[in-house]
Amino acid sequence: MLVPKNLYYTENHLWLRKIGLYDFCIGITDFAQKEIGEIHLIEFSPQEAIRKEDPWGAVYGINKTFQLLAPCDCKIMEVNQNATLKPSHINTDPYNCWLFILSTHISTDEFLTYNDYREITK
């Protein structure tokens, strides 16, 4: 299982890449995409501001459906429309196929580190 060291993670198997002072790209981890199986569809909820643990979409695969839950209180700045057009790209490159860009004012201490995430996926 691939787990890049330079990203942050959530217990809900999302990865976050810091791209600005308060902005992050977010996607699903390699662990999650393997659990889901071949991804056929991604649905996004049309919300702009979301609260921590609120559902904001779903990823549908042949093995299971993966509910996307907000990792923190945040504002969705951009949705990756390419991910909805070719959702199977997540299976081949989960860490470069982001789903959202979000903005939040929380510290990265709120997220799991590489070592923390490796421990929960053993």
Side-chain angles (χ1 to χ4, degrees):
M1 174 183 58
L2 180 63
V3 180
K5 290 183 178 183
N6 63 332
L7 301 177
Y8 299 98
Y9 300 91
T10 70
E11 291 180 1
N12 296 323
H13 306 291
L14 298 175
W15 59 262
L16 297 101
R17 177 180 294 123
K18 193 166 177 93
I19 57 170
L21 189 57
Y22 300 112
D23 299 337
F24 295 85
C25 282
I26 187 168
I28 65 171
T29 64
D30 188 42
F31 178 88
Q33 70 84 18
K34 286 177 180 170
E35 291 285 312
I36 296 167
E38 186 178 339
I39 297 171
H40 297 293
L41 176 67
I42 300 172
E43 289 182 330
F44 299 125
S45 299
Q47 306 172 59
E48 187 174 305
I50 51 178
R51 312 277 305 157
K52 183 176 182 171
E53 298 297 320
D54 280 354
W56 57 352
V59 178
Y60 299 91
I62 59 172
N63 295 338
K64 67 192 281 188
T65 298
F66 182 81
Q67 193 76 16
L68 296 170
L69 301 175
C72 56
D73 293 349
C74 58
K75 182 177 179 183
I76 296 175
M77 306 302 289
E78 186 177 341
V79 175
N80 184 355
Q81 296 301 328
N82 290 333
T84 60
L85 296 174
K86 288 289 230 170
S88 62
H89 280 268
I90 294 171
N91 292 116
T92 57
D93 196 5
Y95 295 107
N96 285 316
C97 191
W98 56 274
L99 301 176
F100 302 97
I101 294 178
L102 59 85
S103 184
T104 184
H105 289 287
I106 67 169
S107 166
T108 55
D109 295 339
E110 301 283 324
F111 304 122
L112 300 174
T113 64
Y114 163 83
N115 290 327
D116 298 333
Y117 188 69
R118 293 290 295 189
E119 282 298 313
I120 68 167
T121 56
K122 280 186 178 180

